[in-house]
Amino acid sequence: VDVGNAEHIQIVTGADNVFAGAYVPVALDGATLANNVKIKKGKLRGEVSDGMMCSVEELGFGRHDFPEAPEHGIYIFAEAHPVGADVKPLLQIDDTVVEFEITSNRPDCFSILGLAREAAATFRLPLQYPSITLKEEADGDIHTMVDVEIQNSDLCPRYIARVVKNVTIAPSPLWLRHCLTASGIRPINNIVDITNFVMLEMGQPMHAFNIDTIDGKKIIVRNAQQDEKFVTLDGNERVLDASMLVIADCNKAVAIAGVMGGENSMVSGDSATILFESANFNGPNIRLTSKKLGLRTDASGKYEKGIDPNLAEEAVNRAVQLVELLGCGDVVPGMVDCYPSKRETRTVTYAPASINKLLGTDISSDDMVALLKLVEVESNGHTATIPSFRPDLETEADLAEEVARLFGYDKIETTLSAGTPTVGKRNETQIKEDIVKNTMIAAGLYEIMNYSFESPKVFQKLLIEENSSLRHTVTISNPLGEDYSIMRTSTLNGMLQSLSTNYNRRNTEAALFEVSKVYRPKALPLTELPDENNVLSIGMYGKIDFYTLKGVVEQLMSVFGAAERVEYCPAGDISFMHPGRCATLQIDGVSLGYLGQVHPQVLSNYEVDTDAYMAIVDLDLLFEKADMARVYKPLPKYPAMQRDLAMLVKDDVLVKDIETIIARQGGKTLEAAVLFDVYKGKQIQEGYKSVAYNLTFRATDRTLTDEEVNTVMKKILRDLEEKLDAQLRM
């Protein structure tokens, strides 16, 4: 083999397509081929081999990149080339590929043209747009060849169709195939390659249809029918829904808009007349369609970012220009352009002084105008006209960002922050929640946190009735699993799970609390966001009883100034609580929650083999009813007088009813009433109990007399006897 050196080298090959005088790519000793295959001088079947003649596969390509290459064998150049020359320029594989990561708010940069625009602005160079001129040598009237109807202009703002006749389907030239390959797109044929090239160059996805497959010669952009079936170019059948947009003719769908064309309208070797589609589609709809179908394409990836509809005309003209340049068809004059509502340029007002204040710079108004002009934003010092391809420029702050990056971040001097600082602080609700947590911690409880979502099965474990409002839940559309498929309407399950975990890990006692939210829908199915109520949950077991839990709740009520107003009313109708050891909390007739012993069957369902107690307090209502004001009184100047009051009452008489009467009749002079004894025994008749109080009387302006105290005591005794049938014990 002659490799341009003084002497020929010997290469051993098994290929049967080489011949004397063929020009072939050669890898010499030390070369590295595709897949990091290194070539070394050696012997092959006893013969010295100084290198390797290469196929396109060994160079890292396929026959779609070089369709003229033999299926099996060495690649042979069709023309003579200088012997010993570097093969990479001859194969057009010697350029540099740069990979960019573009943020989704800059759809204009998802193209060579967009990146060129940014590069021109950065280096202060003029941008040379592609020069698009057309011959349009084909005969015919395009308006008689195709018609376009957009039935959903919200999802398809614009649709352009152009027609090319006398099409010759063939492989693209090497430069075009290489551009596509370098960008990660496989060459197909000249027509398909042109649409992909324009998408890369200008950022506008395109599609080509065989016009002979379009029934009625009419393009209809419509929503798909529910469960409509469609076979895409990859040969797979897709089931569509009514939210998806399709390109159809008078009888059938021929493409999924913005995603992929159909097998029934594909361009093939016998396609003589081609319709080029250059359209604009709603980005979010394309993204949802692509996601639902599990079909993401280069086109959908660009459409979902939001493409300028004004780009469609320039792109389709560029495509048919390439058809003429490649000599693969004749362009029919004119186009069908359906554009119901044109996107116009918009204006944004700005003040150079405000931008300078924001950036900490001193850039003149004229310099700002010049900087903005670099990215084709025309301005006059106070109003900027935004080109339609820049949807991200919406406010003065966006223009300030453009000024900053074009001016140069490195040129902005470091300065101290100017302005009025703000101090972050907790809002009123957060402050009160902290008070709740501190009160619980002071009472010896430990804070826990549970998931806000749980399983529908918890209602059975909690013995909650079928018609209970607690079963009206918000269902999660994409749950981690059934055990986390609904938003909780109660914190009971999380608290009982925590108590169960502690109990089964042999903790002899536990006292826990959680401040969290429950989610209760206003109506089902959901029409608005659910109510999110702040709730305090307390759970305890061990050396405690009902009154231990009640003491914790009373302390909380005291902290929030509600101790004197809260009432503890017996409740036997809460299915998951012990019917005889449960009470509701009420203030002014409004229920704040409940406390008591958990139902034994519920505890068994959670594998807790001991008594456990829980309290639930609606913190939103508590905060509403709270009185956080504190009034301090001076130490008393006058002595107190005390009386003990013991009485017999029936077993069903509640202590709170007795205390209500004592407080009402005691008047202003009653300072305290302390229960110190409740007794039942042999000396007390069946069905009765003895209740004893120590009453303290004091006046703030004088020393009380026995006669005054005795008068009050008589009122208290008389009311107790009349209202509760109480009998004074001597």
Side-chain angles (χ1 to χ4, degrees):
V1 178
D2 183 0
V3 293
N5 296 333
E7 297 181 1
H8 294 179
I9 64 171
Q10 178 170 295
I11 295 178
V12 179
T13 179
D16 57 6
N17 69 319
V18 293
F19 55 88
Y23 288 82
V24 299
V26 173
L28 300 177
D29 181 33
T32 301
L33 298 181
N35 300 322
N36 290 321
V37 175
K38 296 186 181 299
I39 303 302
K40 294 183 179 180
K41 181 179 179 180
K43 286 189 175 183
L44 187 63
R45 297 182 182 179
E47 295 292 336
V48 174
S49 184
D50 293 320
M52 177 180 179
M53 291 182 282
C54 302
S55 65
V56 292
E57 289 80 10
E58 288 161 337
L59 295 173
F61 298 94
R63 295 191 67 247
H64 54 269
D65 300 301
F66 295 91
E68 71 277 12
E71 187 171 355
H72 300 289
I74 304 303
Y75 180 77
I76 298 177
F77 287 98
E79 300 175 354
H81 294 288
V83 175
D86 188 350
V87 76
K88 293 193 289 295
L90 302 180
L91 297 175
Q92 298 188 21
I93 59 175
D94 61 334
D95 61 351
T96 300
V97 177
V98 181
E99 184 171 334
F100 291 87
E101 293 185 6
I102 309 297
T103 55
S104 58
N105 68 324
R106 291 297 305 272
D108 58 303
C109 288
F110 282 81
S111 65
I112 299 298
L113 180 61
L115 292 174
R117 186 185 293 116
E118 288 294 309
T122 301
F123 294 105
R124 309 299 196 264
L125 296 174
L127 174 62
Q128 298 180 9
Y129 281 91
S131 176
I132 301 176
T133 56
L134 299 173
K135 300 176 183 178
E136 298 181 332
E137 296 176 337
D139 58 352
D141 182 0
I142 190 170
H143 296 285
T144 64
M145 303 178 72
V146 65
D147 187 22
V148 175
E149 178 187 352
I150 299 177
Q151 295 184 356
N152 190 337
S153 59
D154 290 334
L155 299 185
C156 179
R158 189 179 193 183
Y159 193 100
I160 297 178
R162 292 209 65 155
V163 176
V164 176
K165 299 174 69 175
N166 306 321
V167 173
T168 302
I169 304 297
S172 299
L174 179 59
W175 68 265
L176 178 53
R177 299 198 308 266
H178 173 64
C179 284
L180 297 179
T181 301
S183 300
I185 296 179
R186 183 168 64 91
I188 304 295
N189 57 52
N190 47 11
I191 297 299
V192 176
D193 292 351
I194 285 172
T195 62
N196 287 330
F197 179 85
V198 172
M199 178 181 67
L200 292 172
E201 181 186 46
M202 310 195 78
Q204 171 66 53
M206 298 185 64
H207 189 65
F209 297 102
N210 182 349
I211 201 170
D212 294 332
T213 65
I214 307 299
D215 296 340
K217 297 299 183 285
K218 183 174 183 178
I219 292 293
I220 302 172
V221 186
R222 61 169 173 83
N223 287 77
Q225 300 172 1
Q226 188 65 32
D227 298 326
E228 181 176 356
K229 295 182 179 179
F230 181 73
V231 179
T232 47
L233 282 171
D234 57 5
N236 294 320
E237 184 178 75
R238 316 282 177 175
V239 180
L240 313 181
D241 65 41
S243 70
M244 301 175 183
L245 199 68
V246 297
I247 311 301
D249 58 23
C250 294
N251 298 316
K252 63 185 182 300
V254 294
I256 302 174
V259 181
M260 184 177 283
E263 196 174 53
N264 56 8
S265 63
M266 65 185 295
V267 174
S268 58
D270 58 352
S271 300
T273 306
I274 298 298
L275 184 150
F276 278 98
E277 166 195 282
S278 182
N280 186 267
F281 302 113
N282 177 272
N285 179 262
I286 298 300
R287 183 183 65 82
L288 290 174
T289 298
S290 175
K291 186 176 181 180
K292 288 179 181 178
L293 296 177
L295 182 61
R296 183 174 176 83
T297 61
D298 294 305
S300 69
K302 284 183 166 55
Y303 274 124
E304 68 185 21
K305 307 297 189 302
I307 297 175
D308 178 16
N310 293 329
L311 179 62
E313 181 177 353
E314 188 176 6
V316 74
N317 287 336
R318 177 63 165 165
V320 296
Q321 178 196 29
L322 290 172
V323 170
E324 292 181 344
L325 290 175
L326 299 186
C328 54
D330 299 323
V331 179
V332 175
M335 67 179 69
V336 178
D337 185 0
C338 192
Y339 198 1
S341 181
K342 184 177 180 180
R343 179 187 288 186
E344 303 290 347
T345 57
R346 64 187 188 282
T347 59
V348 174
T349 59
Y350 71 96
S354 297
I355 291 180
N356 279 321
K357 182 177 179 181
L358 179 64
L359 300 179
T361 55
D362 187 20
I363 304 173
S364 69
S365 177
D366 290 343
D367 286 343
M368 287 187 187
V369 170
L371 290 172
L372 292 173
K373 190 175 180 62
L374 293 173
V375 287
E376 302 185 20
V377 175
E378 299 293 336
S379 60
N380 57 13
H382 56 83
T383 301
T385 301
I386 310 300
S388 58
F389 59 80
R390 288 298 302 272
D392 58 306
L393 300 182
E394 298 177 336
T395 65
E396 182 183 74
D398 297 322
L399 295 178
E401 184 179 8
E402 292 298 293
V403 170
R405 71 186 186 91
L406 294 169
F407 177 72
Y409 293 122
D410 56 317
K411 297 179 183 177
I412 299 177
E413 296 181 1
T414 302
T415 58
L416 293 175
S417 298
T420 303
T422 58
V423 179
K425 62 179 181 179
R426 297 178 183 272
N427 59 35
E428 184 178 354
T429 299
Q430 292 171 327
I431 292 172
K432 290 179 178 178
E433 286 180 355
D434 284 347
I435 294 174
V436 172
K437 293 180 180 181
N438 291 335
T439 303
M440 293 297 103
I441 293 170
L445 280 68
Y446 291 88
E447 184 177 8
I448 63 171
M449 286 184 287
N450 287 302
Y451 288 122
S452 294
F453 30 81
E454 55 192 17
S455 169
K457 298 177 182 178
V458 302
F459 300 123
Q460 282 75 29
K461 294 178 69 175
L462 292 170
L463 307 180
I464 294 177
E465 301 92 339
E466 291 293 334
N467 60 351
S468 173
S469 61
L470 294 178
R471 287 181 177 263
H472 299 163
T473 61
V474 177
T475 302
I476 300 173
S477 59
N478 55 339
L480 298 175
E482 185 182 4
D483 290 343
Y484 305 98
S485 61
I486 62 172
M487 301 301 293
R488 64 182 177 190
T489 55
S490 169
T491 56
L492 291 165
N493 175 66
M495 179 58 71
L496 287 169
Q497 288 281 16
S498 298
L499 292 177
S500 175
T501 299
N502 279 272
Y503 180 79
N504 288 289
R505 291 185 180 176
R506 301 189 179 184
N507 288 335
T508 57
E509 56 185 28
L512 311 174
F513 78 94
E514 179 181 14
V515 175
S516 55
K517 292 182 182 294
V518 293
Y519 306 84
R520 293 172 180 165
K522 300 179 180 70
L524 291 175
L526 285 177
T527 57
E528 55 183 318
L529 292 175
D531 289 328
E532 298 184 21
N533 301 100
N534 291 296
V535 172
L536 166 67
S537 312
I538 302 173
M540 310 172 76
Y541 72 81
K543 298 177 182 179
I544 62 166
D545 57 15
F546 174 87
Y547 297 103
T548 307
L549 176 63
K550 184 169 180 283
V552 174
V553 175
E554 286 177 333
Q555 176 61 23
L556 178 67
M557 296 298 128
S558 176
V559 169
F560 282 90
E564 301 299 327
R565 293 178 292 143
V566 69
E567 295 185 31
Y568 299 87
C569 304
D573 57 349
I574 302 178
S575 60
F576 41 83
M577 302 297 287
H578 194 295
R581 301 173 186 173
C582 180
T584 60
L585 305 171
Q586 295 187 8
I587 296 180
D588 302 331
V590 177
S591 177
L592 300 183
Y594 52 85
L595 72 158
Q597 183 177 333
V598 182
H599 197 291
Q601 181 58 51
V602 174
L603 291 175
S604 176
N605 293 342
Y606 283 88
E607 300 180 354
V608 178
D609 191 21
T610 187
D611 292 344
Y613 299 84
M614 285 188 60
I616 302 294
V617 180
D618 188 322
L619 292 180
D620 292 333
L621 288 175
L622 176 60
F623 296 163
E624 181 183 330
K625 299 291 184 180
D627 181 5
M628 306 296 288
R630 294 291 181 266
V631 178
Y632 295 92
K633 298 179 181 179
L635 293 174
K637 297 179 180 180
Y638 301 96
M641 297 185 68
Q642 294 187 339
R643 295 285 193 272
D644 286 343
L645 175 62
M647 69 198 83
L648 286 176
V649 293
K650 293 180 181 179
D651 281 341
D652 58 357
V653 173
L654 300 177
V655 169
K656 78 177 186 67
D657 295 334
I658 298 174
E659 293 179 353
T660 299
I661 292 175
I662 293 174
R664 183 172 62 244
Q665 297 298 338
K668 295 181 179 180
T669 58
L670 179 65
E671 186 175 80
V674 179
L675 175 69
F676 68 86
D677 185 49
V678 177
Y679 174 74
K680 292 184 67 173
K682 295 180 180 180
Q683 296 85 354
I684 306 299
Q685 66 186 86
E686 188 70 25
Y688 283 79
K689 59 186 175 184
S690 173
V691 180
Y693 281 88
N694 177 258
L695 307 182
T696 302
F697 298 90
R698 192 196 307 268
T700 59
D701 57 350
R702 69 188 186 280
T703 300
L704 291 174
T705 64
D706 287 338
E707 183 178 352
E708 288 178 300
V709 175
N710 290 339
T711 300
V712 175
M713 288 294 295
K714 288 178 182 179
K715 290 181 181 180
I716 293 173
L717 290 170
R718 184 172 62 249
D719 212 14
L720 288 171
E721 183 178 353
E722 292 175 356
K723 300 289 185 5
L724 303 179
D725 195 22
Q727 302 174 27
L728 181 65
R729 287 191 67 200
M730 304 302 293

